[in-house]
Amino acid sequence: MSIGFRILTRERAVPAALVARFAALPVAVVSDSMHRMSGGGPRLMRMHRSGGMAGPAVTVKARPGDNLMLHKAIDMAEPGDVIVVDGGGDLTNSLMGELMLAHAINRGVAGFVLNGAVRDADAIAEANLPLWAAGITHRGPYKDGPGEINVPVALDGMVIEPGDLIIGDGDGVLAVPYAAAEEVLEKAVAKQAAETRLMAQIGERSNDRSWIDDALRRLGCALPGA
């Protein structure tokens, strides 16, 4: 096996029923349910116009500025997959543009997360397939490799294993580990229900704000009249 230049088979993936339930939740709620300790980082910008994303990860580790393995990953992807590429954050050369995006749409790819650059930004926005990238450049990619498919990758400290759940919306992207997905979902559903109740209380002007002064007293803050 050639470390650094290899293609592996994905052995597992979060099931479609679980993906559908996560797709109905805000990324921020899921993130809070994971103690706010993971995220794709502020460099990843939404390149499509609107809409969210959820699906199991196909991971790619690419040489900066080279998209040979990304081409192969699109051909390997199953409908509903999200392709996650660690391109080293390099913005010198783009990793994909409108031609690759059109092929990915035909393949049923659910979205992309690229720690690298794209080009054809206007066409990407118009196609509106969920896509986050670190930047934009007109300079095209090389196609020489090396690279790896379906190996662990990391974006800004967020580790993604093949088959992990990837979700995204206007707040950014998040990976939910395969083994923890059901537990995280249970917590996120409960948190979303609590936030829905709180929003209703805010609308009724009945929400309890006493926790603020309680926290300030606990932390030793001097309050007026104390």
Side-chain angles (χ1 to χ4, degrees):
M1 184 177 294
S2 180
I3 300 295
F5 203 8
R6 57 182 176 167
I7 297 172
L8 303 180
T9 300
R10 187 175 65 185
E11 300 295 336
R12 63 185 189 179
V14 288
L18 209 58
V19 172
R21 295 189 66 190
F22 270 101
L25 295 168
V27 170
V29 167
V30 181
S31 178
D32 285 353
S33 302
M34 296 172 62
H35 295 282
R36 309 179 180 97
M37 289 296 290
S38 184
R43 295 190 70 213
L44 295 177
M45 300 178 292
R46 184 172 64 184
M47 299 295 171
H48 60 294
R49 291 194 312 271
S50 62
M53 172 186 72
V58 173
T59 60
V60 180
K61 190 170 182 65
R63 181 170 67 88
D66 190 287
N67 73 356
L68 176 62
M69 286 302 192
L70 176 53
H71 272 284
K72 181 61 177 176
I74 294 173
D75 287 348
M76 292 174 59
E78 300 291 334
D81 283 344
V82 174
I83 298 178
V84 181
V85 183
D86 176 11
D90 180 74
L91 304 181
T92 307
N93 298 86
S94 62
L95 292 177
M96 67 178 291
E98 65 175 322
L99 295 176
M100 292 175 70
L101 187 70
H103 179 53
I105 291 171
N106 286 343
R107 294 279 304 163
V109 172
F112 288 89
V113 180
L114 308 174
N115 189 17
V118 296
R119 65 177 181 178
D120 305 323
D122 291 342
I124 289 172
E126 182 65 25
N128 207 35
L129 182 75
L131 190 156
W132 283 259
I136 301 168
T137 179
H138 55 79
R139 295 175 61 173
Y142 299 98
K143 296 175 173 58
D144 304 305
E148 298 177 296
I149 297 176
N150 285 326
V151 297
V153 297
L155 307 181
D156 201 34
M158 181 176 71
V159 176
I160 304 103
E161 301 267 1
D164 285 352
L165 176 70
I166 307 296
I167 57 175
D169 63 16
D171 289 334
V173 296
L174 176 66
V176 181
Y178 173 90
E182 291 189 5
E183 176 187 351
V184 172
L185 177 64
E186 182 179 351
K187 291 180 179 179
V189 167
K191 180 167 181 58
Q192 178 71 353
E195 292 197 357
T196 299
R197 291 192 296 271
L198 179 57
M199 184 63 77
Q201 291 168 3
I202 292 171
E204 297 164 354
R205 300 189 177 186
S206 63
N207 52 310
D208 181 7
R209 304 287 288 172
S210 62
W211 67 269
I212 299 173
D213 285 351
D214 290 344
L216 290 170
R217 292 188 189 95
R218 176 174 54 82
L219 294 169
C221 178
L223 297 174

